Amino acid sequence: MTARELDAAGITEPRLRDAYTHCRRLNARHGRTYFLATRLLPPERRPAVHALYGFARHADDIVDVCDGDLRRLADTGTERRAAALDRLADDLALGLAGGTGAAPVTLALADTSRRYGIDHGHFTDFLGSMRSDLTVTGYADFAALRAYMHGSAAVIGLQMLPVLGTVASQEEAAPYAAELGVAFQLTNFLRDVGEDLDRGRIYVPQDLLAAHGVDRGLLRRCRDTGRTERHVVAALRAFEALTRAAYDRAAPGIPLLDPVTRPCIRTAFVLYRGILDAVAADGWAVLHRRAVVSRRRRALTAADGLLRVTAARLAARRRPPGSPGVAAPSPARAKESL
């Protein structure tokens, strides 16, 4: 399937094909929900999504698990990780400026940016939030968390928009795309409370925790003892409400997408929001284990997405050439000079 996707996207240079294939492997290994949803995209658009995910995943691994080994995190100083992040930023800047770059993730990302005209500022904002994770361990309130999530999540939605295409202007669709990125990340924060605590970070805002009588010490005791106290559950429920509100704000943006890409985003929307249901069904035990959407629900959602993809593609084939209404992406075939 990889060769078919690359051929469909017009990616022919061997080193560039290898770079995109590397990103695809990262997506398949680490982003099960995203990867499943990406399979519902037209083949020619999948490599770009893999490139966007692969770069973000690579940067996140530098921040959280340098060299891919969480057990060595305690021995990996902040300065070393900051230096690795700086090298990644320099490599990306070289690629965006027309150079080749050294890392596969930057090579693929720079090519995707050229093909789809993605604003380079989104990558700058993303790396800024990644750098803050090296030193910031908590957020006073939701406004402070939102400021962080602009770079860590909202810009991911904005990067995706040119690849997905829209039936409205990108300016109209952009706020919804950004909000969906925020909703996905809030879901991650809720699901990964325990793992993030082990890294020294708490993304649930401090004022929300304090309103329910919870602080870092109580979260640590719950994590260490395997217990989940009612005060913690109350705080997690409040954070879930904030997350569901983000999904509600993002939902009107799905109909603004190109019909052939809507099933992909709708599938990701349903599956990721389903993690919230899984957290509740698991007794809010996120301090102790990661909640997951059942295989049955994933399969049913994917099957529904496949039916929607088939219907959308049939409708697109019946649409008269040059008919108005769909501003699908028209990637520039960037010269693959390496």
Side-chain angles (χ1 to χ4, degrees), residues 202-268:
I202 299 175
Y203 291 103
V204 181
Q206 294 168 12
D207 63 345
L208 185 153
L209 292 173
H212 296 277
V214 179
D215 58 15
R216 184 181 291 263
L218 178 56
L219 292 176
R220 186 72 259 172
R221 288 194 297 275
C222 288
R223 175 75 166 166
D224 292 341
T225 62
R227 299 177 60 185
T228 303
E229 297 193 10
R230 59 183 180 85
H231 297 297
V232 173
V233 171
L236 295 176
R237 285 181 180 274
F239 192 69
E240 181 214 16
L242 291 175
T243 306
R244 289 192 183 276
Y247 279 104
D248 291 342
R249 289 190 294 270
I254 295 178
L256 300 181
L257 298 175
D258 184 341
V260 298
T261 66
R262 285 177 206 161
C264 164
I265 301 306
R266 182 183 182 279
T267 296

Side-chain angles (χ1 to χ4, degrees), residues 19-85:
Y20 275 103
T21 300
H22 174 78
C23 292
R24 186 182 189 275
R25 291 196 193 103
L26 288 175
N27 197 351
R29 186 184 313 133
H30 298 289
R32 291 189 305 168
T33 298
Y34 288 122
F35 185 73
L36 176 63
T38 301
R39 296 293 298 273
L40 298 175
L41 286 174
E44 68 273 11
R45 304 195 205 181
R46 295 174 199 166
V49 177
H50 295 320
L52 294 172
Y53 180 90
F55 179 82
R57 181 73 215 187
H58 185 78
D60 192 60
D61 279 350
I62 289 174
V63 171
D64 283 343
V65 289
C66 193
D67 296 333
D69 190 349
L70 183 58
R71 290 171 298 179
R72 292 165 56 188
L73 181 61
D75 299 324
T76 303
T78 298
E79 290 185 4
R80 181 182 168 193
R81 284 179 283 170
L85 207 55

